[in-house]
Amino acid sequence: MGIRFILMVNKQGQTRLAQYYEYLTLEERRALEGEIVRKCLARNEQQCSFVEHRNYKIVYRRYASLFFLVGVDNDENELAILEFIHLLVETMDRHFGNVCELDIMFHLEKAHFMLEEMVMNGCIVETSKANILTPIQLMDKAS
Amino acid sequence: MALSGMRGLSVFISDVRNCQNKEQEHLRVDKELGNIRTRFKNEKGLTPYEKKKYVWKMLYIHMLGYDVDFGHMEAVSLISAPKYPEKQVGYIVTSCLLNENHDFLRLAINTVRNDIVGRNETFQCLALTLVGNIGGREFAESLAPDVQKLLISSSCRPLVRKKAALCLLRLFRKNPDVMNVDSWSDRMAQLLDERDLGVVTSSMSLLVALVSNNHEEYWSCLPKCVRVLERLSRNQDIPQEYTYYGIPSPWLQVKTMRALQYFPTIEDPDTRRSLFEVLQRILMGTDVVKNVNKNNASHAVLFEALALVMHLDAEKEMMSQCVALLGKFIAVREPNIRYLGLENMTRMLMVTDVQDIIKRHQAQIITSLKDPDISIRRRALDLLYGMCDVSNAKDIVEELLQYLSTAEFAMREELSLKIAILAEKFSPDLSWYVDVVLQLIDKAGDFVSDDIWFRVVQFVTNNEDLQPYAALKAREYLDKLAIHETMVKVSAYILGEYSHLLARRPGCSPKEIFSIIHEKLPTVTTSTIPILLSTYAKILMHTQPPDPELQNQIWAIFRKYEGCIDVEIQQRAVEYIELSKKGAALMDILAEMPKFPERQSSLIKKAEDTEADTADQSAIKLRAQQQNSNALVVTDQHPANGTPPVSHLGPVKVPTMSNVDCDSVDQRETQSNGSLTVVDPQPPSPDVLGDLLSPLAIEGPQPADYQSDHNLGAGVKGAAIAEEALALAPIEEQMNTVQPIGSIAERFHALCFKDSGVLYEDPYIQIGTKAEWRAHHGRLVLFLGNKNTSPLASVQAIILSPSHLRTERSLVPETIPPRAQVQCPLEVVNLRPSRDVAVLDFSYKFGTHLVDVKLRLPAVLNKFFQPISVSAEEFFPQWRSLSGPPLKLQEVVRGVRPMPLLEMANLFNSFQLVVSPGLDPNPNNLVASTTFYSESTRAMLCLVRIETDPADRTQLRMTVASGDPTLTFELKEFIKEQLVSIPIAPHAAAPPVPPQPQPTSPPPPSSDPGALLAGLL
């Protein structure tokens, strides 16, 4: 399965984007988000980017005020996921130009479109930024 | 259409953002939900733009964690919008809000299909993504051929094909049968030749799923994978867009190497050589660079290469290179690399002949156990645990014990268990083992499960040399001021048995032992008091010549507890008093405990189960089992230096564990109450306490008769499943050892007379049902509840309905998430009267257990009754008009369960057959009526008359009448079943489900498989 979920959470612990690739009920999501946000946000720069939680591994990365948290299976390649987060951020950067929390917040749909081009069913579909952004650019042009 | 175009949405988002606290946010969200709801109500006035806006708001609210239980229909309806922007929103929001079991999703299936087969490639992409993310079985069956076509079509552009690949992956997981393996393996190989790296990336994920299921069929893909890897590592024909910090798609490299790990070996020498060249280059050529991203990406590839090298069991030289690299990694400052170094070194333990090299790094690993980062400490703990053997056990266990005092609570339980296991497995001498466990209890009593102290008691009991030492140690701990209750238990038990061996030492006279133990009594809970009472009884018995003063003291205590509210304590107190009056006989009864039969350590089993919890179909696991490696994390009990050839990494279950664990006392209980003994959520933990105490309280040592457990038959068909499972996946599956909790038959019968309750339960799942019946229609909802913290996989629920029932079931998800409950509604229509029963064939996988049970569904004849009471004026004309067979049947029934008439009346009422008292002038007779509903008969009045013989309650005459001959017959038989047998378990006498002769072949064709199965049950 690979990627179970992708979360973007600010340093106050507010979810800015959540995409799950396995079904969880709302209560489970709330509990899960609460627990892992608590665990990850409490960590410092000297600690590694991986947190083991239940039967997941959380690979996370912080960009300014925003945390990107990706839940993966235990045997997933952690560094590959870590850099996948960076690829996602670079892709958003290319589109928004110096992406920040507010861009994601107020352009939730674009963030979703990008993610949708990059991950499907928990697997990576595309890693070329140009390809990822093509549909969004087409849409922007159309409107 | 950008979101900035949706002003209302932006305003809402910034409103929420400006909320000062959660309450304000809640209010704002509620207001918005109210607004959306009203807007949706008068849907006619909504423009597509407005609809889109509201649906986005819903998604936003959902993301904030609020329940959005309406508007799903609107989201789904946007999918069929003709314009792209609306359609896109519809697709994305639907896949976020709904799951595969959602009824609304079905409404969209046709639109989705039209989009997939249509010519608009942007629509195709949207539809494929939706199905890829949330498509269920139904989608799999109807869409798989179309999706396959798209994936291999030469006229399709890569952007569609890459999505088709992952969509197909989903459909394959939902129903593996949708892929025709024979024709697909060649196509799969062709896909790997594609130029477009997006298509190759997605296809590689598909391949991983396919080979993890069955690598045999995909050998032809192996050289292709190596080619992909070569292409990437040599940077041949890689567009700039696919290089990441100068590294050709690290993700595809990783995925390709992962796919290769599912093939057990590489036989072709050329392919092998090419692959090793690539791997060698990665191993040697990965340098540490300044740029973090580049460094991470190259190390991602390096770690995957390490895993692949380990898997391929390369030459020794290459292996030592790997270990050297890992040795370097675990000492670097970069925490991520340190973490991964430790993690991969643990995996490395499975490789032959490198343990000694790994041991050289022991000191460094122990340092990591003190790392400030818990993630790293956990890895270090796992590695130390894995690398432990007789040669280093003392050092490692010493370190772990030290760490125990400072470890965070989250880790202590696991740590305690690991210490106990290592001490048991690798103890150089037994006294050390006792020392370790007692220290463990002393330092972390709260985290020491009962299994741990049970095990030490077993060891001491079975090793005479150990007994004086253990007794002495236990005595020493009692001198401490405050000791943990578990320590009280274990020392009291040991001193009760063996304190007489210390008699000559100072402070160890029976009196002194008694008083120091008795000091602790006020501090302990009721679970410990019975153990203390037994200890006193034993001390008394060992005191020869008897000490009247001690005797009086102890008797006084027993008397005090004679009236204790706790039954266990009371019983022991009473029994010990009585026993002590028996004089010399006391000696025999309270003699030392006999040795325990050797059995697998419950601790080790527990550890295995923990492992199994997280065991996915991972490459590493598979490999470990394919190779029969002599890992140190093995599950066998022999010291690892023995390197037994049969050891596996994976859990090695003893298939008949339950039999071994049930001693004869348990078995008798099992028989008498007709229920299974497993109520513990951790099935393998045997009732050692029962073992320890039962012979004492009840009788002498029981013969070790491992009689087979007869109660399993009702629901669990072990052997058949094992074979079936083996055919599918020879490695992962194990015998079905999961036992139901409670009797399946009993639960079924209870549900025949009520509409909600538990249908089935085992340690992993509980299936509840709730039903509503109206005329000949019924709606039965199955609640599938996962009781665990890990998901249940491969869940399948197949309804085998008899021909008289038309059933329609909604989808069941393939996995049930941890602690989640999934509802599965089932619509039932009763076509005509019949007593056949619908059967639910339910199976799931938990870790290595494959469980398959056949459960009768309580959609039985009497559910279609509706009570009607008739007056004498109505009854008699009807009764007379239905004259003689086949509408009116009469039978003399013998062998009736004797019961008073009143009880019989209650029984009838309980299945809606309403008794009309006084209608029959004879007080020994009963007259009852009901209305039966089915599609063919419609509402039909049924009349019943029972004539009993007060002189012989085991026989009666029954007359049944209705307007339909089949109904009359079925009803007569139904009532007979209720009267003749014991309703609680009428089928108890039935033999256990015989394993079908050829479990892998489909059941013989029959027009009515449900009836056939019900017959079997």
Side-chain angles (χ1 to χ4, degrees):
Chain A
M1 169 85 178
I3 300 173
R4 307 281 191 120
F5 55 82
I6 297 177
L7 293 176
M8 297 179 202
V9 178
N10 71 7
K11 62 174 191 264
Q12 285 84 39
Q14 293 161 317
T15 308
R16 291 306 180 211
L17 188 138
Q19 177 71 53
Y20 286 81
Y21 297 98
E22 65 177 340
Y23 176 69
L24 294 181
T25 63
L26 200 67
E27 288 73 46
E28 288 164 341
R29 286 184 184 201
R30 272 201 293 246
L32 180 78
E33 288 175 25
E35 287 165 32
I36 63 179
V37 165
R38 222 172 305 135
K39 268 195 189 175
C40 295
L41 269 55
R43 294 170 64 82
N44 61 34
E45 298 278 320
Q46 280 78 54
Q47 295 179 318
C48 67
S49 313
F50 319 123
V51 175
E52 290 161 28
H53 180 73
R54 300 203 207 158
N55 49 349
Y56 301 114
K57 200 171 271 183
I58 316 292
V59 179
Y60 75 97
R61 214 161 167 163
R62 183 184 172 163
Y63 293 88
S65 63
L66 206 58
F67 284 82
F68 286 70
L69 309 156
V70 179
V72 294
D73 288 338
N74 268 317
D75 62 338
E76 190 63 47
N77 187 309
E78 295 88 346
L79 286 177
I81 297 295
L82 195 64
E83 284 318 295
F84 185 70
I85 295 178
H86 191 69
L87 177 72
L88 173 62
V89 173
E90 284 189 348
T91 309
M92 291 182 169
D93 242 12
R94 189 184 280 192
H95 182 76
F96 292 112
N98 244 336
V99 67
C100 67
E101 190 186 332
L102 290 184
D103 288 323
I104 295 169
M105 222 180 143
F106 284 99
H107 298 276
L108 186 64
E109 90 290 18
K110 287 193 180 165
H112 267 286
F113 297 157
M114 282 179 219
L115 216 47
E116 182 148 312
E117 290 298 318
M118 295 178 76
V119 187
M120 199 176 140
N121 194 18
C123 298
I124 296 173
V125 209
E126 184 59 82
T127 57
S128 146
K129 284 173 232 159
N131 286 349
I132 297 166
L133 292 173
T134 314
I136 299 179
Q137 282 155 358
L138 278 178
M139 229 175 8
D140 279 354
K141 254 184 220 159
S143 70
Chain B
M1 178 90 58
L3 208 130
S4 46
M6 289 186 269
R7 247 191 76 73
L9 178 57
S10 297
V11 169
F12 173 60
I13 292 177
S14 63
D15 278 2
V16 170
R17 180 163 177 255
N18 291 334
C19 287
Q20 298 295 321
N21 51 41
K22 206 74 194 159
E23 285 75 48
Q24 279 186 11
E25 182 187 295
H26 205 148
L27 282 175
R28 182 67 187 88
V29 166
D30 274 350
K31 190 179 146 202
E32 195 60 42
L33 285 175
N35 176 28
I36 302 173
R37 207 188 292 259
T38 6
R39 288 311 190 99
F40 279 161
K41 262 193 195 140
N42 5 336
E43 205 193 322
K44 290 230 169 66
L46 283 184
T47 63
Y49 163 76
E50 283 174 313
K51 234 187 193 177
K52 196 177 84 177
K53 182 177 73 180
Y54 292 129
V55 169
W56 271 117
K57 281 185 182 172
M58 279 165 43
L59 181 69
Y60 186 76
I61 292 170
H62 177 75
M63 186 196 77
L64 291 175
Y66 294 92
D67 198 7
V68 182
D69 53 357
F70 65 95
H72 297 166
M73 186 68 197
E74 280 76 9
V76 174
S77 72
L78 279 175
I79 290 180
S80 26
K83 281 203 190 135
Y84 184 70
E86 279 88 45
K87 195 185 258 300
Q88 184 193 32
V89 175
Y91 270 118
I92 290 190
V93 176
T94 300
S95 69
C96 287
L97 290 183
L98 303 191
N99 67 61
E100 63 181 83
N101 296 315
H102 224 287
D103 283 343
F104 286 141
L105 207 54
R106 277 197 206 158
L107 302 176
I109 200 162
N110 269 330
T111 320
V112 172
R113 175 150 201 266
N114 288 338
D115 282 342
I116 285 179
V117 297
R119 305 234 158 167
N120 184 327
E121 51 180 29
T122 43
F123 289 8
Q124 284 179 318
C125 286
L126 289 175
L128 289 169
T129 310
L130 177 97
V131 177
N133 282 333
I134 59 167
R137 249 185 118 83
E138 216 167 314
F139 280 87
E141 275 137 32
S142 60
L143 295 177
D146 297 322
V147 177
Q148 282 175 355
K149 246 182 254 161
L150 286 183
L151 176 56
I152 53 174
S153 147
S154 53
S155 59
C156 246
R157 287 212 296 159
L159 79 131
V160 177
R161 297 174 59 207
K162 68 189 181 193
K163 301 209 166 175
L166 289 179
C167 182
L168 193 58
L169 162 60
R170 168 101 187 178
L171 301 182
F172 169 73
R173 289 220 175 108
K174 290 293 144 193
N175 182 1
D177 299 339
V178 300
M179 303 278 277
N180 181 352
V181 177
D182 296 339
S183 62
W184 194 256
S185 55
D186 289 343
R187 302 215 161 118
M188 197 65 237
Q190 281 167 23
L191 283 170
L192 302 177
D193 281 338
E194 286 288 329
R195 262 201 86 212
D196 184 273
L197 286 184
V199 174
V200 181
T201 304
S202 313
S203 303
M204 200 57 85
S205 288
L206 176 61
L207 178 65
V208 168
L210 295 173
V211 290
S212 72
N213 192 44
N214 175 4
H215 65 264
E216 291 291 342
E217 299 294 337
Y218 294 93
W219 280 111
S220 57
C221 296
L222 197 152
K224 304 280 183 185
C225 290
V226 176
R227 283 271 297 285
V228 172
L229 206 56
E230 280 187 294
R231 178 181 162 194
L232 290 164
S233 73
R234 299 216 172 110
N235 207 344
Q236 291 166 337
D237 189 22
I238 307 295
Q240 183 55 34
E241 269 296 310
Y242 283 98
T243 50
Y244 180 81
Y245 290 88
I247 299 161
S249 182
W251 302 284
L252 181 53
Q253 293 199 45
V254 165
K255 203 52 149 189
T256 311
M257 288 193 269
R258 183 57 61 92
L260 286 168
Q261 289 169 59
Y262 284 98
F263 293 100
T265 54
I266 298 180
E267 268 147 25
D268 176 48
D270 290 338
T271 315
R272 194 174 163 94
R273 196 174 335 103
S274 316
L275 180 59
F276 273 105
E277 271 173 33
V278 175
L279 292 174
Q280 187 67 52
R281 212 166 28 242
I282 298 172
L283 290 190
M284 300 307 288
T286 309
D287 298 319
V288 177
V289 292
K290 253 197 168 156
N291 182 300
V292 181
N293 300 307
K294 181 172 183 157
N295 211 31
N296 282 342
S298 64
H299 280 80
V301 174
L302 174 58
F303 276 112
E304 204 61 50
L306 280 171
L308 183 54
V309 171
M310 287 187 242
H311 167 72
L312 292 172
D313 219 353
E315 304 85 77
K316 202 155 183 197
E317 197 187 334
M318 206 163 182
M319 285 295 186
S320 13
Q321 249 178 41
C322 292
V323 185
L325 267 176
L326 291 174
K328 207 172 84 193
F329 290 155
I330 62 171
V332 298
R333 274 187 53 204
E334 211 318 80
N336 286 344
I337 303 294
R338 209 158 63 232
Y339 174 94
L340 294 170
L342 290 166
E343 182 178 50
N344 283 283
M345 207 177 248
T346 311
R347 288 178 185 161
M348 193 91 199
L349 288 170
M350 295 166 202
V351 178
T352 350
D353 299 335
V354 294
Q355 286 91 345
D356 286 331
I357 321 179
I358 291 176
K359 274 192 213 160
R360 291 186 209 143
H361 299 283
Q362 190 169 313
Q364 180 61 42
I365 302 164
I366 286 173
T367 320
S368 298
L369 198 59
K370 293 158 191 156
D371 197 280
D373 183 351
I374 185 175
S375 298
I376 291 179
R377 287 198 298 274
R378 267 188 203 282
R379 288 298 110 230
L381 171 60
D382 264 13
L383 177 52
L384 283 173
Y385 176 71
M387 66 193 277
C388 194
D389 63 19
V390 266
S391 73
N392 57 10
K394 268 194 166 167
D395 296 336
I396 290 182
V397 169
E398 206 51 50
E399 284 295 336
L400 296 183
L401 274 173
Q402 220 175 28
Y403 173 45
L404 189 61
S405 326
T406 53
E408 43 278 270
F409 287 118
M411 276 180 79
R412 287 199 188 173
E413 181 163 4
E414 191 193 346
L415 192 55
S416 309
L417 186 64
K418 288 195 159 149
I419 292 174
I421 291 172
L422 292 180
E424 178 183 331
K425 264 164 84 173
F426 303 120
S427 59
D429 58 273
L430 291 167
S431 55
W432 176 77
Y433 167 71
V434 172
D435 280 346
V436 170
V437 175
L438 292 181
Q439 274 188 62
L440 193 61
I441 297 172
D442 189 39
K443 285 188 167 176
D446 283 342
F447 301 93
V448 173
S449 62
D450 281 347
D451 299 315
I452 295 178
W453 83 263
F454 293 168
R455 190 68 179 162
V456 82
V457 163
Q458 268 186 40
F459 255 87
V460 173
T461 309
N462 289 7
N463 294 284
E464 268 171 48
D465 304 343
L466 200 54
Q467 291 159 0
Y469 181 78
L472 190 63
K473 278 280 157 187
R475 173 71 188 76
E476 280 172 18
Y477 274 104
L478 284 178
D479 277 335
K480 286 188 137 198
L481 274 179
I483 58 172
H484 192 270
E485 184 160 345
T486 306
M487 186 65 90
V488 177
K489 286 182 185 170
V490 69
S491 37
Y493 187 93
I494 291 177
L495 288 173
E497 291 290 322
Y498 309 114
S499 62
H500 59 282
L501 302 174
L502 303 179
R504 298 224 180 96
R505 291 172 192 262
C508 295
S509 71
K511 226 179 196 159
E512 284 161 311
I513 298 269
F514 162 74
S515 62
I516 196 158
I517 294 176
H518 192 53
E519 265 173 34
K520 312 289 178 199
L521 191 132
T523 65
V524 298
T525 59
T526 41
S527 68
T528 306
I529 296 175
I531 300 174
L532 297 187
L533 295 185
S534 302
T535 302
Y536 301 161
K538 291 230 168 186
I539 291 177
L540 208 54
M541 182 273 294
H542 280 304
T543 313
Q544 297 304 338
D547 175 345
E549 194 189 332
L550 182 66
Q551 195 168 2
N552 286 337
Q553 249 178 318
I554 291 178
W555 282 1
I557 297 166
F558 289 158
R559 286 214 185 83
K560 182 179 149 208
Y561 282 109
E562 252 180 336
C564 180
I565 193 158
D566 185 284
V567 179
E568 183 64 39
I569 298 174
Q570 183 189 34
Q571 183 173 357
R572 286 202 197 194
V574 172
E575 280 174 4
Y576 292 148
I577 289 180
E578 289 307 310
L579 283 173
S580 59
K581 292 179 190 156
K582 299 245 185 260
L586 180 72
M587 298 286 277
D588 293 336
I589 297 163
L590 291 179
E592 252 170 54
M593 289 289 289
K595 287 188 178 179
F596 290 91
E598 280 304 328
R599 57 160 71 122
Q600 190 186 5
S601 165
S602 58
L603 291 183
I604 292 172
K605 281 202 65 67
K606 193 170 169 182
E608 283 164 11
D609 276 27
T610 333
E611 261 169 53
D613 273 1
T614 50
D616 236 338
Q617 182 102 327
S618 79
I620 298 147
K621 281 257 149 64
L622 279 175
R623 176 190 49 210
Q625 301 185 353
Q626 282 160 356
Q627 290 189 341
N628 270 355
S629 100
N630 56 339
L632 285 178
V633 243
V634 288
T635 50
D636 60 313
Q637 298 173 67
H638 312 288
N641 60 352
T643 55
V646 285
S647 53
H648 296 260
L649 170 77
V652 179
K653 296 275 180 275
V654 180
T656 49
M657 185 63 193
S658 53
N659 305 340
V660 182
D661 281 336
C662 292
D663 60 29
S664 60
V665 180
D666 281 351
Q667 292 230 336
R668 219 176 16 242
E669 275 167 11
T670 311
Q671 284 169 5
S672 61
N673 62 18
S675 69
L676 290 162
T677 47
V678 186
V679 276
D680 191 324
Q682 293 151 332
S685 95
D687 186 4
V688 186
L689 188 62
D691 279 359
L692 294 180
L693 302 169
S694 56
L696 181 76
I698 298 161
E699 62 192 346
Q702 70 277 23
D705 69 339
Y706 300 145
Q707 181 187 332
S708 73
D709 200 334
H710 40 266
N711 277 341
L712 287 176
V716 185
K717 51 162 209 179
I721 289 173
E723 271 179 56
E724 217 162 1
L726 284 174
L728 293 169
I731 309 141
E732 284 281 310
E733 311 296 353
Q734 296 285 345
M735 191 95 157
N736 186 358
T737 55
V738 176
Q739 300 183 16
I741 297 171
S743 149
I744 294 176
E746 225 172 86
R747 290 185 189 280
F748 168 74
H749 283 279
L751 283 167
C752 288
F753 299 104
K754 59 181 190 179
D755 284 335
S756 63
V758 175
L759 180 66
Y760 173 78
E761 184 167 5
D762 69 25
Y764 306 118
I765 196 165
Q766 187 189 57
I767 305 178
T769 66
K770 196 171 174 178
E772 281 172 353
W773 307 95
R774 193 162 298 137
H776 62 284
H777 289 278
R779 182 182 162 87
L780 196 145
V781 185
L782 296 171
F783 297 88
L784 312 172
N786 180 353
K787 297 163 66 177
N788 288 274
T789 48
S790 27
L792 298 180
S794 309
V795 177
Q796 277 197 18
I798 299 161
I799 307 282
L800 305 159
S801 38
S803 58
H804 76 282
L805 291 179
R806 190 166 65 219
T807 56
E808 201 177 305
R809 171 184 62 87
S810 68
L811 292 170
V812 174
E814 197 184 273
T815 33
I816 304 178
R819 301 245 167 237
Q821 194 186 55
V822 174
Q823 292 187 16
C824 172
L826 178 74
E827 304 288 342
V828 184
V829 180
N830 188 24
L831 303 176
R832 55 182 175 277
S834 166
R835 285 169 299 125
D836 291 340
V837 188
V839 171
L840 167 69
D841 181 354
F842 185 80
S843 60
Y844 68 90
K845 231 166 83 182
F846 178 81
T848 52
H849 297 286
L850 181 83
V851 181
D852 184 352
V853 286
K854 307 257 188 297
L855 304 166
R856 282 174 293 170
L857 288 174
V860 287
L861 189 76
N862 61 308
K863 299 285 181 185
F864 303 101
F865 289 161
Q866 248 171 41
I868 179 171
S869 55
V870 289
S871 62
E873 295 79 52
E874 295 161 322
F875 187 90
F876 291 108
Q878 282 282 347
W879 186 253
R880 275 190 292 271
S881 74
L882 301 166
S883 55
L887 296 182
K888 191 192 239 170
L889 296 173
Q890 192 167 71
E891 186 177 334
V892 174
V893 185
R894 297 203 166 76
V896 174
R897 187 161 49 98
M899 59 181 120
L901 211 57
L902 192 67
E903 192 185 322
M904 193 181 286
N906 285 338
L907 178 67
F908 276 54
N909 286 331
S910 73
F911 49 83
Q912 317 283 9
L913 205 57
V914 181
V915 175
S916 311
L919 245 171
D920 198 303
N922 185 336
N924 290 318
N925 295 353
L926 273 182
V927 169
S929 57
T930 191
T931 317
F932 173 79
Y933 288 87
S934 75
E935 205 169 79
S936 66
T937 60
R938 293 287 149 194
M940 186 157 283
L941 183 69
C942 308
L943 304 170
V944 180
R945 182 174 188 221
I946 306 283
E947 295 157 277
T948 64
D949 176 1
D952 181 2
R953 292 232 160 260
T954 64
Q955 62 172 358
L956 50 78
R957 189 166 73 171
M958 168 165 72
T959 317
V960 178
S962 83
D964 180 273
T966 325
L967 175 57
T968 306
F969 176 77
E970 292 291 323
L971 179 60
K972 184 192 71 157
E973 293 302 308
F974 174 80
I975 298 173
K976 208 161 76 183
E977 280 172 8
Q978 304 305 319
L979 292 174
V980 169
S981 53
I982 302 158
I984 305 265
H987 297 268
V993 179
Q996 285 147 8
Q998 284 162 319
T1000 40
S1001 68
S1006 147
S1007 56
D1008 197 354
L1012 233 151
L1013 257 157
L1016 276 178
L1017 290 164

